[in-house]
Amino acid sequence: MTAATHSTLFPQVPETPDAVLDGLDPEQREVALALHGPVCVLAGAGTGKTRAITHRIAYGVRAGILQPATVLAVTFTNRAAGEMRGRLRQLGATGVQARTFHSAALRQLQYFWPKAVGGELPRLLERKVQLVAEAAARCELRLDRNELRDVTGEIEWAKVTQTVPADYPAAVAKTQRDAPRDPAVLAQIYSTYEQLKRDRSVIDFEDVLLLTVGILQDRHDIADHVRGQYQHFVVDEYQDVSPLQQRLLDLWVGDRDNLCVVGDASQTIYSFTGATPDHLLNFRTRHPGATVVKLVRDYRSTPQVVHLANGLLSQARGRAADHRLELVSQRDKGPEPVYAEYPDEPHEAEATARRVRDLIAAGVPAGEIAILYRVNSQSEVYEQALADAGVPYQLRGAERFFERAEVREAGTALRGAARAGRNDSLLDGAEDLAAQVRAVLSTKGWTTRPPAGSGAVRDRWESLAALVRLAEDFETAKPGATLTDLVRELDERAAAQHAPTVQGVTLASLHAAKGLEWDAVFLVGLTEGMMPIAYAKTEEQIEEERRLLYVGVTRARHHLSLSWSLARSPGGRASRRPTRFLKGLRPGSTAPGARGGTGAGGTGGGGGIDRGTGRSAGAAERRSEAVERRPRQPVRCRVCGRTLTDAGEMKLMRCEECPSDMDEALYGRLLDWRAGQAARLSQPDYCVFTEKTLMAIAEAVPSTEGELVVIAGVGNRKLTRFGADVLAICAGETVGEGPEEGAGES
């Protein structure tokens, strides 16, 4: 999702080159017209940088100034490259190469390897973890899964910073890098890994860049060939280039100056992978005659969100902070950011899920809401809370849409139906395009109602449902379109990796959220030790954590919530403190170095701090959930007495490994009852009760409302709605049809 999210899904191709420039603001237009010489675009979050550079390329192509085949646009993710290709296609600029650094380098390496080296290019190692594990074993080390991931990351960092194994310990000391193992030991593993690759004639993704650099350095004829093909270069997210990528870019460009770079030093959050903003900050030094354009008009976020984002950077230090951009919101006023403090993580998650549910009820689509956290391990408690609240969600980081098996199968089925036309009996009675698509996809697992559960079956259904929605949108945009037209559109989108949105609240880490945006964003777990993360020790590392929070804040268009909890588990010691980055910004706090004051958290009055009291909810909901807000006692295993911290164990009120005294027959009856309720309510099973909650009920066998309501996952709302049925089942009675849809809702 980008600044152009709310434009039509199927815009008309501009009729003339000048029409390409329509709708650009003065600074974006300046970028689009700067087609010669070095150009540096300093673009703040939400300022339409992708719009500016794609219109620049498209205008140059449409005006005959740039030849499509001579333009190479590079970025850092397949998603971003796909989006760029999709936008260029919509602007009528086909034939331009928009790729990641690795993709562009791999194509060149495959083409020139026989000439430069001879024979076939060594096989590309898709996943290096197994080989790293073998290298560690040869060094008489056995690494667990997490250690393997960290060691693999260290090897990748060393390679993109062009550090050989022998120099790795010195490089770690120089950069004050927090290595996961003794640097000398890691250097030994790194060296052994490289030897194993040579022995087996395989290369990894970093080798793709290294080998391409080597060939272009050593073979001037091949370098001239590449420079003859590509005359104009555009680099997006330039603050994220590594030294190795910069070296490759230098070899591509040669002694020419037709280079346009776009970036924002305040969004440098990947230094652990070797990224550095130095190349962006030094661009004008390296290219004294460069055209520099600053984009600061923020079209994404409200003035309230932008005010907080600017406030975060106003306290930043270091070189990147010296070049920060002061954003100016172009949107109407919106609600103030909400600051919320809770006694513990489960309470924070449950309150967040309730607020998400309220937003959806107020008309905000689930797909326009995100919950963002610092590390992936924080997601579990939010997954559980959303499931308990009956809110659909999706985890960020799944495989790309058009690469999913069910999407490929659906495309094949639609293509076959398009060829058969009215000879396909599946299409009997399906008059319009959307109806035809629904008929075809019904053979692949799509139904009018989503399946129960949140596993692979639900994921498959969501993918097919996204295709159905795309067909409906396509037909609305192009009345009279045929199945063949839709198949062609899907093929073009697949080639560009321009995927439709799968509906559901997004759960993602702050790093994974980079480049995305939502109407409503919940930034959770904002405590010292998590933000900044505990292992951030140096000032440079602390400042990167501040930039990471800045990225999170600027993902929000309209609604923004920032929350933290004082303890990890119910009844735990309230030893946590909210992140230092919000000092002087959240109401009631004092800016670093200041005395007194109430902070500057807003544009005329802060949003206030919700200390777990649910201020945004109505009085009725506050009363009905008063029990859940009471200070909680430690949850202890009822078998061995150990204090529980895992959310799943807390639901069961016992350790996973402790023996269960669950009534299996009762559990089976509860499962059957839940399935019937879910079918009647047209909701997934987990929206009634999760399996962990049912297991806890089958173990406790409650006989009163008081015994039932204290079981984690029940609560007052579900007690009102389902309590009578559950207690009757526990008593061995037969229950009736149960509540109608919506019954018992406040």
Side-chain angles (χ1 to χ4, degrees), residues 31-39 56 65-66 232 257-259 289-291:
V31 173
L33 293 173
L35 293 169
H36 300 288
V39 179
R56 176 184 186 270
I65 300 171
L66 305 179
H232 302 272
D257 60 5
N258 283 328
L259 171 65
T291 299

Side-chain angles (χ1 to χ4, degrees), residues 23 146 165 197 225 290 323 335 358 376 452 493 646 650 658 691 722:
N146 291 328
K197 285 199 289 101
H225 185 122
H323 294 80
D358 291 344
N376 286 321
R493 283 173 173 249
D646 177 77
M650 286 160 58
C658 283
E691 291 184 5
F722 304 119

Side-chain angles (χ1 to χ4, degrees), residues 54-286:
T54 52
H55 280 68
R56 176 184 186 270
I57 295 170
Y59 176 75
V61 169
R62 297 289 299 278
I65 300 171
L66 305 179
Q67 296 302 312
T70 68
V71 179
L72 177 61
V74 289
T75 186
F76 287 83
T77 66
N78 288 313
R79 182 195 58 78
E83 181 184 357
M84 193 178 293
R85 289 194 294 270
R87 291 198 185 198
L88 290 170
R89 178 170 65 89
Q90 292 168 355
L91 293 169
T94 57
V96 174
Q97 292 292 313
R99 297 184 171 276
T100 64
F101 271 99
H102 282 88
S103 173
L106 181 59
R107 291 192 74 194
Q108 293 176 16
L109 193 61
Q110 290 170 330
Y111 183 81
F112 291 114
W113 185 268
K115 180 179 180 179
V117 181
E120 292 186 0
L121 180 69
R123 180 174 61 85
L124 183 61
L125 192 65
E126 296 269 340
R127 295 180 68 253
K128 59 172 68 73
V129 172
Q130 292 179 338
L131 207 58
V132 172
E134 186 174 342
R138 293 200 176 190
C139 297
E140 298 183 347
L141 288 171
R142 185 172 182 177
L143 307 178
D144 64 27
R145 184 174 61 182
N146 291 328
E147 289 177 316
L148 268 177
R149 184 182 61 193
D150 291 343
V151 171
T152 300
E154 282 301 291
I155 292 174
E156 291 171 350
W157 174 82
K159 298 186 75 166
V160 300
T161 55
Q162 302 177 84
T163 303
V164 298
D167 296 339
Y168 173 77
V172 169
K174 181 180 179 181
T175 59
Q176 295 182 283
R177 189 171 178 83
D178 188 14
R181 286 257 180 168
D182 180 88
V185 174
L186 284 171
Q188 185 182 7
I189 297 173
Y190 177 16
S191 177
T192 305
Y193 167 76
E194 290 296 309
Q195 185 60 52
L196 285 173
K197 285 199 289 101
R198 288 191 293 270
D199 293 344
R200 297 176 188 182
S201 298
V202 295
I203 59 175
D204 59 28
F205 278 100
E206 289 69 43
D207 291 329
V208 170
L209 300 184
L210 285 163
L211 291 170
T212 305
V213 164
I215 288 175
L216 294 178
Q217 284 181 161
D218 296 341
R219 293 290 299 266
H220 298 295
D221 56 330
I222 293 177
D224 290 341
H225 185 122
V226 172
R227 293 166 191 157
Q229 178 178 357
Y230 295 117
Q231 306 290 325
H232 302 272
F233 298 86
V234 177
V235 184
D236 193 11
E237 303 287 5
Y238 192 56
Q239 78 278 352
D240 289 334
V241 295
S242 68
L244 179 56
Q245 288 165 332
Q246 180 62 46
R247 180 60 186 140
L248 178 58
L249 180 63
D250 289 340
L251 289 166
W252 280 343
V253 176
D255 58 3
R256 297 164 300 171
D257 60 5
N258 283 328
L259 171 65
C260 174
V261 300
V262 189
D264 178 10
S266 296
Q267 295 189 67
T268 305
I269 59 173
Y270 296 112
S271 68
F272 60 91
T273 67
T276 171
D278 290 346
H279 306 297
L280 175 67
L281 299 176
N282 294 336
F283 190 84
R284 283 169 288 184
T285 302
R286 298 182 63 190

Side-chain angles (χ1 to χ4, degrees), residues 583-594:
K583 286 185 177 180
L585 300 175
R586 60 182 175 86
S589 65
T590 303

